[in-house]
């Protein structure tokens, strides 16, 4: 659906407009006029002839010229008929402010379904219901009743702001514009009956007025759509910055009763954001300050940061933050050092952070002189200018030095000003410039961190991304015979057949129907061997006593055989034993785990972690959506805390990382190919050996969907 | 030293005062007068008769009446003589603004030593050098040249602010007072030649005008003094809130060149802060916002938080933050629920967070009516009121409801306002009230978290703290014979003698001088045994091949004996072999580690962690200063991430925690008793068994100080 009529309307119809400026309809009209919307405004209310000097129409149908958007603030029970009327009158889009839908539970959900149907029937995009509307800052289309619009004027800019929460969005807008950060459009998506945040993101990807998209989100409805939009944004190089709320379980509950949005597990969102290059922030102020930094469109080539400060303490605080986040505060080049020494002979020590000390009070030109040399240093990819205490006119002078000197470089130059009201002449000047301004050094460092990581991601994307493993989808039909017709567990031997077909190394093993077969198989494989029961009813073999390791000879094999048969029939008298698996005993290696799970929003997700206590107890694992690229696989491996153990500690050699990557790619393809068949897969343990020695899947568990359509 | 003359002077002498108000002396005079200091001001400058209508004296000695503090801003080379003169004239204290001392390195350090000497000679407390001075907000003694003092007026309050960085401190003061947070005194400690941050903390502990102490610190000079002050503050219930900068190694380097302060490892500071109840914050704004919350002197009885919000999104964001930090957002009592339902029949769902929705716009009294019921809920220990978008006069009305309703309870009531300038009438009202105000929900949650943790600590302190283990200090003389006379390593058998004496269980073992003795000892202990070389030159036995485990009989014992003798003499031909230790083979248990290290600032520190990769590779350990209390020991154990492994996973039983606590206490006493003897101690591994089965030290390493005076 084309959102242009909704976002950039030439003609607006206001339904249910009221004389009372405290009611929704009255407020929207007031704001449209006070902010100077230049398009046509049609009012619809059969009760009046005219309102505020504008003619009132009895119905949408009676408006003589085309309408781009209908603004609907009527009581909830009247919404369907008004929307229907809009559809019939060929109105191109609608915003529904009215509440009383899915946010109230099941009953409201049904009513909301009607909105969806009408929208579909007429191909008419709808924003809301239960939203505060849309505000165009460039075209002054203030189609909202948010009290935010009480501000005297809208400051246009290049940041699009999407908020699922309308009231909060409006309030945040007020703070954003207080510090002169410009906005292209604000959208409150409300209950998202039709259009959701991703749809607006998609629109802004092609909006020339928008260079950065920021969103305050409680959840994503259509995970695939979100991933597609994020992928397109990444290819286009337009940053999407998200504050995802409802992270904790209790928080999510609050979220779902709020806008009726389904919120997924936070670990899944985190993985999706990383995989698709979405910038995630953790706090409200970081959301708009980071967006502001991105809107300056200066991207660092690396993570080396120079700090120019007028106070030692400021340098220390910034250095702490930068280092903790993985950036560096490198030495300056010898050239810079000698130039600085020449420019300011009084300096004690020339280094990074460069502390100009109280010296600048006596010699104000020391500041631009030093900064000019500093920003050009080839060891630096970005510069932070930290200002402590400078008041009044002096602060304006200082600010103009910063703004002018920043123009001499293409590197990002950010500035943190520690003082408040006393520095206002200076900070106001910076707010209007290309230098992002911060009141908090920590937020400054975090914004720069996002810039650094985003740039690194863009750079890496330009290099080869590494292909995903070839899909075996077409071949997958051959597995039909081994898939259970209804939900259940795949036996280990069948699971390994599938792993093998995807090129994931598995243990040598043979299914044996009786002891004689087992004996022959053991001789062929060679003692020692393991013996494992194969039964669809036995999900966890150890628990059922269905597993014996390290069998050294025939006598032990017989004993094990008999013990397992007895144990399993005791454990579950109805267990159908298909045979016993004779399996090679593998050499000891490091235990890793691959897992897969179907996420309701995003679909197939792959998990990677270390065996033993690491995944289960220490919760140390990484996640990605399947299928993934080779780079994703490497990132998954490096992301876990236990990565160091794979690299080798206490003289251990590093493991065969390439083998893990290859198998992870193959596994992710398997998981994607069979996403409708398996609800969960575990390969646990996978033993990985040292460099070039590969890995081997020792056990696996495939759980099928009850209603799969393989 | 009594700091009253310095902090609350009745007579100030200004040395080196100047006509030029841009110079230090000129500025201090201007600020003292503009802020209305009511005490006596004496000017000292032989060049003038009078300045600004105040008589100038030729020297300090010629001032006819007693002087409480000399303010010294003369050039660095004149400082010692001026200070000397002040001492002779019986001036009671001094502030030295002048720079050019330890911040410039070794040369400056020497000059700074002279200040220390003079201060000592005359018993005269000195603040600085290289500081911006001290500002009394109650007595208007603006003894500083910080441009912060350009503000029209000082807002007095009950928070004392100590900053090692003067420029930054002044700038932060400006932000603090911009939002109407009152201050009792501000101290910039500069290079801390004489008085350091801890000395001022000590002063503020007894200052009736101060209820909260906050500090921006780069490091502590005298660790013991800091611990004593922190302990007193804890006993007195006066909170100390610290932002410690210079956390990372690079940050510390910047810090040490800045004020010449020695910064210790951050993990040690973190441990000391926890152990002594110092509240640590991570960001500048959190420092003063947390202090402001504490200054309201309302402390929660538990961690159960109620959220009253006018926007669902606000509730979700706060819930996320609170849950992530370990607080709870519990269900309301049935009574509250029915009362709320009666008070507001239009509510959809009555729960916590309580979302009043846009409803409050139509029915403003819904707000106080609901809040009154809500704050009284017995399931809640604290309440956060979250306000999204309310503008102008309405915001003032809303604010007054909050302020008045908060008076009906003794619980902390905090308020986060999402909007900015539009809500100013409301937020200004709250700033003047007992309700701490936040612009950021995350900072609001963090401040509450500090309140909750601090209250829990105070409560726990009132209960029995658990005694430290009895000191064996007096008995320690008996160990003199086993201590090497100079630096070196204690052999395992001697180390274990000390552990045993402190009641820490060790393996049964006997030193054997030759094979015959070893044989006899093995028979007595019972096979299987371990055999270990005992040599002061062999620090790590495995490395030297000086260790064999699981020896099952005499033949294996002989082979092991010969192999070890050969290995060790090959490893180090000069190794002096004192014998071989025959040691029981202990039952397998969970491996833990105790360690000790001497910290240059804080002295003896004890480390606890899990064996294997946990301490070394995963850096999962806890630290405390020795000696410690039983509660400290429990906290150390629970603090590590691997705690879950000790509690038992996958059907394991929990370990004998009380045994760990007992041995940890004994160990901490040992470490404290011998702090001058041992620079490092490791007990690794200690095997701990299930509940009531105790633990056993298997190996240990004691490294002695070269110059110990045990």
């Amino acid at each position: 659906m084309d959102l242009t009529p909704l976002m950039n309307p030439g003609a607006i119809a206001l339904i249910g407009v009221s004389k009372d400026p405290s009611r929704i309809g009255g407020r929207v009209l007031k704001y449209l006029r006070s902010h100077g919307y230049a398009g046509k405004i049609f009012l619809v209310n059969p009760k009046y002839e005219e309102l505020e000097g504008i003619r009132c129409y009895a119905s949408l149908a009676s408006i003589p010229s085309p309408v781009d958007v209908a603004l609907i603030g009527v009581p909830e029970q009247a919404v369907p008929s008004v929307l229907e009327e809009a559809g019939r009158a060929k109105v191109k889009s609608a915003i529904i402010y009215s509440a009383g839908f899915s946010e109230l539970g099941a009953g409201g959900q049904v009513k909301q379904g009607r909105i969806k149907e009408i929208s579909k029937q007429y191909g008419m995009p709808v924003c809301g219901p239960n939203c505060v509307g849309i505000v165009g800052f460039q075209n002054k289309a203030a189609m909202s009743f948010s009290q935010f619009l009480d501000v005297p004027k809208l400051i246009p800019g290049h940041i699009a702001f999407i908020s699922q929460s309308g009231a909060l969005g409006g309030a945040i807008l007020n703070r954003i514009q207080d510090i002169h950060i410009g906005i292209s459009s604000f959208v409150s998506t409300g209950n998202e009956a039709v259009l959701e945040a991703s749809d607006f993101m998609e629109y802004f990807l092609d909006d020339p007025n928008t260079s950065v998209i920021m969103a305050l989100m409680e959840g994503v409805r259509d995970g695939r759509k979100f991933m597609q939009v994020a992928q397109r944004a990444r290819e286009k190089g337009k940053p999407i910055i998200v504050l995802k709320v409802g992270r904790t379980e209790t928080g999510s509950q609050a979220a779902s009763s709020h806008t009726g949005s389904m919120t997924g597990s936070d670990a899944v969102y985190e993985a999706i954001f990383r995989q698709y290059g979405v910038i995630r922030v953790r706090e409200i102020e970081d959301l708009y300050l980071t967006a502001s930094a991105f809107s300056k469109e200066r991207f660092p080539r690396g993570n080396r940061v120079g700090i120019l400060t007028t106070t030692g303490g400021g340098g220390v605080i910034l250095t702490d933050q930068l280092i903790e986040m993985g950036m560096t505060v490198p030495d300056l080049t010898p050239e810079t050092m000698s130039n600085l020494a020449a420019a300011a002979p009084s300096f004690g020590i020339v280094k990074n952070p460069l502390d100009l000390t109280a010296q600048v009070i006596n010699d104000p030109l020391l500041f631009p002189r030093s900064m000019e040399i500093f920003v050009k240093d080839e060891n630096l990819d970005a510069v932070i200018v930290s200002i402590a205490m400078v008041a009044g006119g002096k602060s304006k002078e200082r600010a103009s030095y910063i703004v002018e000197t920043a123009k001499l470089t293409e590197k990002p130059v950010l500035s943190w000003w520690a003082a408040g009201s006393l520095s206002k002449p200076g900070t106001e000047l910076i707010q209007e410039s290309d230098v992002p301004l911060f009141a908090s050094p920590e937020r400054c460092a975090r914004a720069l961190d996002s810039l650094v990581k985003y740039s690194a991601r863009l750079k890496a994307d330009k290099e080869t991304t590494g292909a995903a493993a070839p899909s075996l989808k077409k071949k997958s039909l051959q597995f039909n015979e081994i898939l259970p017709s209804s939900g259940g567990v795949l036996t280990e031997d069948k699971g390994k057949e599938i792993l093998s077909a995807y090129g994931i190394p598995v243990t040598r093993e043979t299914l044996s129907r009786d002891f004689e077969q087992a004996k022959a198989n053991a001789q062929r494989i060679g003692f020692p061997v393991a013996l494992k029961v194969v039964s669809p009813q036995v999900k966890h073999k150890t628990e059922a006593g269905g597993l014996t390791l390290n069998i050294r000879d025939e006598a032990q094999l017989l004993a094990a055989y008999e013990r397992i048969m007895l144990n399993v029939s005791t454990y579950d008298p109805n267990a159908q034993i298909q045979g016993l698996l004779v399996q090679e005993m593998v050499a000891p290696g490091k235990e890793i785990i691959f897992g897969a799970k179907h996420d309701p929003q995003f679909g197939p997700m792959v998990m990677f972690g270390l065996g033993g206590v690491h995944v289960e107890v220490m919760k140390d694992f990484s996640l990605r959506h399947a299928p993934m690229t080779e780079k994703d696989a490497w990132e998954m491996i490096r992301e876990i805390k236990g990565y160091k153990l794979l690299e080798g500690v206490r003289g251990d050699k590093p493991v065969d990382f390439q083998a893990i990557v290859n198998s992870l790619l193959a596994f992710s393809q398997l998981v994607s190919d069979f996403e409708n068949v398996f609800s969960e897969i575990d390969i646990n343990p996978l033993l990985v050996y040292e460099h070039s020695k590969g890995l081997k899947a020792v056990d696996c568990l495939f759980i099928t969907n009850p209603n799969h359509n393989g």
Side-chain angles (χ1 to χ4, degrees), chain A:
Chain A
M1 290 195 269
D2 179 17
L3 301 193
T4 312
L6 179 63
M7 300 303 299
N8 200 8
I12 294 172
L14 198 48
I15 294 101
V17 70
S18 150
K19 269 188 176 163
D20 181 353
S22 80
R23 302 194 67 100
I24 287 180
R27 261 152 75 182
V28 175
L29 178 59
K30 180 180 91 178
Y31 293 143
L32 276 170
R33 302 186 83 184
S34 69
H35 288 292
Y37 171 65
K40 289 180 199 154
I41 302 175
F42 299 107
L43 304 185
V44 179
N45 193 333
K47 284 191 273 180
Y48 305 112
E49 282 291 309
E50 63 93 36
L51 215 83
E52 307 267 329
I54 305 180
R55 175 179 164 188
C56 277
Y57 293 87
S59 69
L60 275 166
S62 54
I63 296 175
S65 63
V67 172
D68 287 316
V69 59
L71 308 186
I72 303 173
V74 300
E76 153 262 314
Q77 60 276 15
V79 167
S81 61
V82 171
L83 195 62
E84 184 93 55
E85 192 193 326
R88 278 196 309 265
K90 298 201 164 41
V91 172
K92 297 196 191 76
S93 66
I95 298 175
I96 304 174
Y97 304 117
S98 325
F101 295 89
S102 70
E103 80 278 12
L104 295 186
Q109 188 74 54
V110 173
K111 292 187 204 158
Q112 194 164 304
R114 191 69 198 106
I115 295 176
K116 211 168 164 173
E117 282 165 22
I118 301 168
S119 158
K120 204 171 168 188
Q121 188 186 341
Y122 295 99
M124 175 174 57
V126 172
C127 177
N130 192 25
C131 73
V132 305
I134 296 174
V135 180
F137 284 65
Q138 306 277 356
N139 58 12
K140 313 298 178 203
M143 302 178 286
S144 169
F145 65 97
S146 171
Q147 279 188 73
F148 154 70
L149 291 164
D150 280 346
V151 295
K153 70 180 176 99
L154 302 177
I155 303 169
H158 301 290
I159 302 169
F161 178 22
I162 301 166
S163 177
Q164 288 179 334
S165 171
L168 198 52
I172 295 169
L173 265 183
N174 182 213
R175 290 220 184 254
I176 293 175
Q177 300 244 299
D178 280 350
I179 54 174
H180 292 257
I181 295 177
I183 295 291
S184 59
S185 300
F186 166 68
V187 180
S188 143
T189 60
N191 287 3
E192 304 188 338
V194 177
L195 295 173
E196 65 169 305
S198 309
D199 295 299
F200 291 101
M201 287 179 184
E202 197 176 15
Y203 172 83
F204 290 125
L205 280 186
D206 297 318
D207 175 26
N209 281 327
T210 296
S211 63
V212 181
I213 299 164
M214 73 176 192
L216 175 61
M217 296 198 335
E218 292 171 8
V220 157
R221 263 154 239 278
D222 181 342
R224 308 237 164 211
K225 194 195 279 173
F226 179 80
M227 291 187 282
Q228 276 163 15
V229 171
Q231 178 62 26
R232 257 198 73 208
R234 184 173 160 185
E235 284 158 12
K236 235 185 140 131
K238 203 174 260 196
I240 297 178
I241 304 169
V242 169
L243 177 66
K244 161 77 175 71
V245 303
R247 293 194 293 267
T248 56
E249 220 181 296
T250 320
S252 297
Q253 277 166 21
S256 59
S257 79
H258 176 226
T259 60
S261 127
M262 278 283 289
T263 50
S265 133
D266 192 65
V268 172
Y269 276 99
E270 179 70 28
I272 295 291
F273 292 156
R274 287 188 188 204
Q275 190 166 0
Y276 290 93
V278 172
I279 300 135
R280 185 179 198 177
V281 294
R282 302 271 162 186
E283 305 194 3
I284 289 181
E285 288 179 22
D286 289 328
L287 179 66
Y288 54 84
L289 292 171
T290 303
S292 169
F294 274 82
S295 74
K296 310 298 183 186
E297 299 188 67
R298 290 183 177 211
F299 296 96
R301 269 181 302 182
N303 68 350
R304 303 168 307 166
V305 184
I307 301 169
L308 182 76
T309 179
T310 57
T311 159
V316 178
I317 289 178
L318 284 169
T319 304
D320 274 355
Q321 298 288 333
L322 297 171
I323 301 286
E324 279 171 3
M325 289 185 288
M327 287 174 273
T328 65
V329 181
D331 290 337
L332 303 172
T333 62
E335 196 193 341
T336 304
M337 303 236 263
S338 64
N339 287 346
L340 281 171
S346 57
F347 274 155
I349 311 147
V350 172
K351 63 184 188 70
N352 184 19
L354 183 66
D355 183 359
L356 299 182
T357 73
Q359 204 60 43
V360 284
I361 300 174
N362 303 326
D363 175 8
L365 285 176
L366 172 65
F367 191 89
R369 220 159 60 224
S370 309
M371 183 171 165
E372 230 174 86
I373 299 165
F374 194 75
V375 295
K376 288 181 188 154
D377 188 291
E378 283 171 11
N379 281 356
L380 305 178
D381 301 311
V383 170
I384 298 180
V385 181
S386 139
I387 303 297
M389 191 64 244
V390 57
K394 293 262 178 211
S395 75
K396 195 166 176 181
E397 185 183 283
R398 182 78 56 83
S400 79
Y401 290 148
I402 295 174
V403 170
E404 291 308 313
T405 315
K407 290 180 184 160
L408 304 177
T409 176
E410 291 183 343
K411 296 172 192 171
V413 176
L414 298 82
S415 193
W416 158 45
W417 286 54
S421 55
L422 288 167
S423 291
K424 224 173 169 195
T427 51
E428 282 180 345
L429 194 88
I430 295 198
Q431 280 168 349
E432 306 295 336
S433 80
D434 248 13
V435 176
L437 176 74
F438 299 84
S440 142
E442 300 87 4
R443 299 204 193 281
C444 176
R446 286 200 284 270
L448 181 53
D449 183 51
S450 291
L451 277 174
V452 165
K453 292 200 172 118
Y454 183 79
S455 303
R457 160 71 79 176
L458 283 193
K459 199 170 144 193
D461 279 352
K462 274 184 201 141
E463 294 155 18
T464 166
T465 54
S471 169
L472 298 186
K473 181 76 184 184
K474 302 233 168 60
K475 265 169 65 185
S476 76
L477 285 172
Q478 81 187 43
F479 298 121
N480 268 355
E481 62 195 61
I482 65 173
L483 299 176
S485 55
S486 65
V489 171
L490 226 59
T491 53
E492 179 179 343
D493 57 320
K494 289 183 179 165
K496 284 193 178 156
E497 241 183 81
I498 301 180
L499 295 183
S500 273
Y502 275 84
I504 298 170
V506 300
T507 42
R508 276 182 301 136
E509 61 194 29
T510 319
L511 184 67
S512 316
R513 303 283 167 189
D514 55 29
F515 177 67
E516 284 309 312
Q517 277 190 15
K519 199 168 75 178
N521 287 331
Q523 275 156 355
R524 201 174 36 78
I525 288 169
F527 287 105
V529 294
L531 196 64
K532 294 171 157 185
V533 70
V534 174
S535 162
Q537 284 75 39
V538 177
K539 221 189 263 188
H540 299 292
K541 299 177 198 78
T542 314
E543 212 172 78
L547 165 70
T548 305
L549 300 178
N550 259 319
I551 298 168
R552 307 198 161 269
D553 53 33
E554 267 180 39
Q556 286 187 1
L557 185 70
L558 180 61
Y561 189 90
E562 287 173 346
R563 194 169 52 241
I564 289 177
M565 296 302 278
L566 181 66
N567 285 348
V568 173
S569 58
T570 314
Y571 174 77
D572 179 358
N574 298 318
Q576 169 209 353
I577 301 182
Q578 298 177 346
L580 276 84
L581 210 53
V582 176
Q583 195 173 79
E584 66 170 323
M585 284 303 301
V586 293
K590 287 194 177 147
E591 284 189 22
I592 58 175
I593 299 178
F594 288 178
K597 213 165 182 168
H598 199 87
D599 181 78
Q601 258 86 35
F602 296 100
M605 301 295 300
V606 168
M607 188 272 290
F608 169 77
L610 296 186
V613 298
H614 295 273
V615 169
E616 275 179 58
V617 185
M618 308 303 277
K619 309 287 176 214
D620 181 20
F621 59 83
S622 54
L623 276 178
R624 286 295 182 277
H625 185 256
M628 63 173 94
T629 65
E630 184 164 347
K631 208 166 50 185
D632 293 328
W634 279 107
E635 281 180 7
M636 276 189 94
I637 296 168
R638 293 196 178 114
E639 205 170 287
I640 62 169
K641 294 191 198 76
Y643 174 66
K644 292 172 274 199
L645 300 177
L646 296 175
E647 276 186 309
V649 294
R650 301 170 163 178
D652 277 7
K653 290 195 177 140
V655 300
D656 192 339
F657 284 110
Q658 192 59 53
I660 303 180
V661 166
N662 295 345
S663 286
L664 208 42
L665 281 176
F667 183 64
S668 95
Q669 191 59 51
L670 184 170
V671 169
S672 165
D673 290 347
F674 287 93
E675 63 163 310
N676 296 316
V677 179
F678 300 116
S679 54
E680 276 177 68
I681 309 174
D682 258 351
I683 314 183
N684 179 16
L686 259 155
L687 289 179
V688 59
Y689 302 103
E690 61 187 59
H691 180 61
S692 86
K693 301 253 166 98
L695 52 70
K696 206 168 256 190
V698 177
D699 202 351
C700 61
L701 180 67
F702 284 69
I703 298 177
T704 52
N705 259 332
N707 308 309
H708 71 77
N709 57 351

